[in-house]
Amino acid sequence: MTELLSVPKLLDLIIDKGAIPALAFGVGLAAKPVIRRAKAYWFRASAARHAAVFSDLEQQTITIQAGEPYFRFDDIRLHRTPTPLKLTLPGGAQADFDAQELQALQEQGIGWGEAAGSYLHFKDRASLCESLSTRLGADARERLDAACIAVARQFAHGTGGCLFNGSKYGVLDYRIARSNDEKEFPLLNLYCFDTDYYTDRVLTELWRGLDASQRRSHSELANQRSIAFLSCSLGVNCVVICADDKILITQRSARVGLSTSRLHISMNEGLTQTDRDTGDVPSVRLCLLRGLREELGVRESEIRKMEIGDFFLERHHFQFGLTAVVHLACGSQELRHAVSKDRTLESDGFRFLDFHGTRELLAFLKTERGNFVPHGYYTLLRILLREQPGILKGARSFLPD
């Protein structure tokens, strides 16, 4: 049976495989930018047509900037701020821990007392707490101290996904711009600070202690940048499409901090201090490659194409993220049996869906939505909007306006 191709898929075929023999070499070169602009227009039109599909998802995940249809990697620019944000146990709190717990915290690099911490552009812990009280309520300092103690206890015992206190990056601020040429590509500038997993978990607990109306108000586009430093994470959320047109869906393990095992997209990785290029600058591309290698066992030589789609804010945890898609040169069976160091820890299983099986995909999206990690579901839809835009016509039947 002849396979019907979507317009973006057909355009990809023209660019990548020279599917129109009548195009001479010179004409083909001239046609490429026209075709790419046509793809961008198709994406914008499709996004507008299906905007209502995402209105309900925006209750949990806000799209800050989308590529058209994807970002160029060079147009996502990361900048490091000079001062880290690393929290410690409040002074005197070590009395709440026994000797074995204190030893475990010391091995994890979690200290106690104000002098052992670092507070970004704030002069000290008191100045940080004053800023938090102004924005999050008068009791912010007490809630911060309580979160520091509770999360430290998790790290001391290795519970709740608190297995190691590695170094990572948070997002202090962001700026959206446009390229200076006629194409006006979106440019994303991210200003990152050094932090660690302990600080990330503490500030997440502080954020989740707010009521739903406070979280919603503070995370609106007009307000979020004033408290962006609460986001001690930048996650890359990736949909993997295999050479045999199978989409990988993972069963994310409760061992990584979820309350229960839940469905998720193919790979989810946070930007860490191992993801620095030769100029000592954080790199989204290196983070994506590391995540594919560590979680799925995918090597760079097995990647045919990878692209970044959206910059977003996940509102429940107040964490910034990027959506991505990776096309592999290997098939689903090769991926299923690949060896990776984090697969057993982070995943409870794999599931493959037919990329061209519209009915199967729609049934999956409809019946499994409640079982998904919310920003994973968002990522899957945002990538399908670009790769298979026709499928979202069916999705409108079960995603509310």
Side-chain angles (χ1 to χ4, degrees):
M1 181 180 294
T2 302
E3 180 183 350
L4 294 177
L5 297 175
S6 64
V7 171
K9 198 78 174 177
L10 183 59
L11 293 171
D12 273 339
L13 196 63
I14 294 172
I15 293 175
D16 297 336
K17 298 183 179 179
I20 303 181
L23 285 177
F25 177 74
V27 176
L29 285 179
K32 282 188 176 182
V34 176
I35 293 171
R36 289 195 179 97
R37 291 175 72 89
K39 285 188 69 178
Y41 172 80
W42 180 270
F43 168 68
R44 289 195 299 270
S46 183
R49 192 161 51 246
H50 300 296
V53 171
F54 293 98
S55 61
D56 181 61
L57 292 177
E58 295 283 339
Q59 302 299 315
Q60 295 178 302
T61 309
I62 297 177
T63 304
I64 300 173
Q65 179 63 55
E68 291 190 358
Y70 291 105
F71 285 98
R72 299 177 300 184
F73 273 96
D74 288 344
D75 291 341
I76 302 176
R77 302 165 185 176
L78 277 64
H79 315 268
R80 290 179 69 188
T81 58
T83 309
L85 176 59
K86 294 190 177 181
L87 296 177
T88 60
L89 283 166
Q94 63 267 36
D96 295 336
F97 297 83
D98 61 32
Q100 187 174 358
E101 290 173 328
L102 290 175
Q103 176 66 27
L105 293 178
Q106 188 174 18
E107 291 172 356
Q108 293 273 22
I110 300 171
W112 42 84
E114 179 177 320
S118 182
Y119 306 101
L120 279 174
H121 53 282
F122 301 101
K123 183 177 66 173
D124 50 28
R125 187 186 183 98
S127 299
L128 171 64
C129 290
E130 182 180 350
S131 177
L132 291 174
S133 296
T134 300
R135 292 168 170 81
L136 305 183
D139 63 342
R141 177 165 195 152
E142 290 75 18
R143 291 192 289 110
L144 178 66
D145 289 349
C148 284
I149 294 171
V151 173
R153 201 170 300 282
Q154 289 181 313
F155 272 96
H157 295 278
T159 59
C162 298
L163 303 178
F164 73 102
N165 185 32
S167 297
K168 60 185 308 192
Y169 290 109
V171 178
L172 179 62
D173 198 4
Y174 62 83
R175 294 285 189 277
I176 307 296
R178 293 289 183 270
S179 62
N180 292 324
D181 53 28
E182 71 282 357
K183 297 178 181 178
E184 297 186 351
F185 287 116
L187 306 177
L188 177 60
N189 288 278
L190 300 175
Y191 300 88
C192 301
F193 58 88
D194 291 26
T195 186
D196 56 23
Y197 282 92
Y198 172 70
T199 302
D200 179 21
R201 295 299 290 265
V202 168
L203 292 180
T204 297
E205 287 299 308
L206 180 68
W207 174 259
R208 292 176 64 181
L210 301 174
D211 63 43
S213 63
Q214 287 178 301
R215 291 199 303 268
R216 179 168 182 80
S217 174
H218 287 305
S219 59
E220 293 291 350
L221 284 172
N223 304 325
Q224 60 188 226
R225 286 174 57 194
S226 67
I227 56 169
F229 64 88
L230 290 180
S231 177
C232 293
S233 182
L234 178 64
V236 180
N237 301 266
C238 176
V239 173
V240 168
I241 303 174
C242 301
D244 53 359
D245 289 331
K246 301 292 184 182
I247 300 175
L248 170 62
I249 302 295
T250 61
Q251 188 77 32
R252 195 74 168 171
S253 174
R255 291 184 294 275
V256 294
L258 300 175
S259 56
T260 59
S261 178
R262 304 186 72 180
L263 292 172
H264 206 1
I265 34 79
S266 313
M267 187 278 291
N268 176 48
E269 188 62 64
L271 185 72
T272 75
Q273 291 178 22
T274 61
D275 304 316
R276 288 181 290 194
D277 61 21
T278 54
D280 207 32
V281 176
S283 167
V284 170
R285 180 179 178 276
L286 291 180
C287 178
L288 183 53
L289 289 173
R290 179 176 57 82
L292 291 166
R293 182 177 65 254
E294 293 181 353
E295 294 189 17
L296 303 179
V298 172
R299 301 297 184 262
E300 187 172 1
S301 60
E302 298 172 307
I303 297 172
R304 187 169 63 84
K305 181 170 62 175
M306 59 183 190
E307 297 180 287
I308 302 293
D310 310 277
F311 175 54
F312 67 88
L313 175 69
E314 194 275 317
R315 305 177 84 158
H316 184 61
H317 297 89
F318 198 79
Q319 292 184 344
F320 292 104
L322 297 162
T323 67
V325 61
V326 168
H327 294 264
L328 298 182
C330 62
S332 55
Q333 290 306 309
E334 295 172 78
L335 185 59
R336 185 187 296 276
H337 298 294
V339 176
S340 60
K341 76 182 186 73
D342 289 340
R343 179 178 297 192
T344 303
L345 172 66
E346 300 190 6
S347 174
D348 287 336
F350 284 178
R351 178 172 178 177
F352 290 94
L353 303 176
D354 185 359
F355 180 62
H356 296 295
T358 303
R359 289 186 180 180
E360 178 189 6
L361 281 173
L362 282 173
F364 177 81
L365 291 169
K366 182 175 183 178
T367 60
E368 300 291 358
R369 183 182 180 191
N371 297 323
F372 246 92
V373 174
H375 63 275
Y377 193 87
Y378 163 88
T379 296
L380 181 58
L381 284 180
R382 293 294 294 183
I383 295 303
L384 285 175
L385 173 60
R386 295 165 166 88
E387 300 288 325
Q388 284 280 53
I391 196 172
L392 293 181
K393 296 177 182 179
R396 296 191 67 169
S397 65
F398 58 85
L399 291 175
D401 293 344

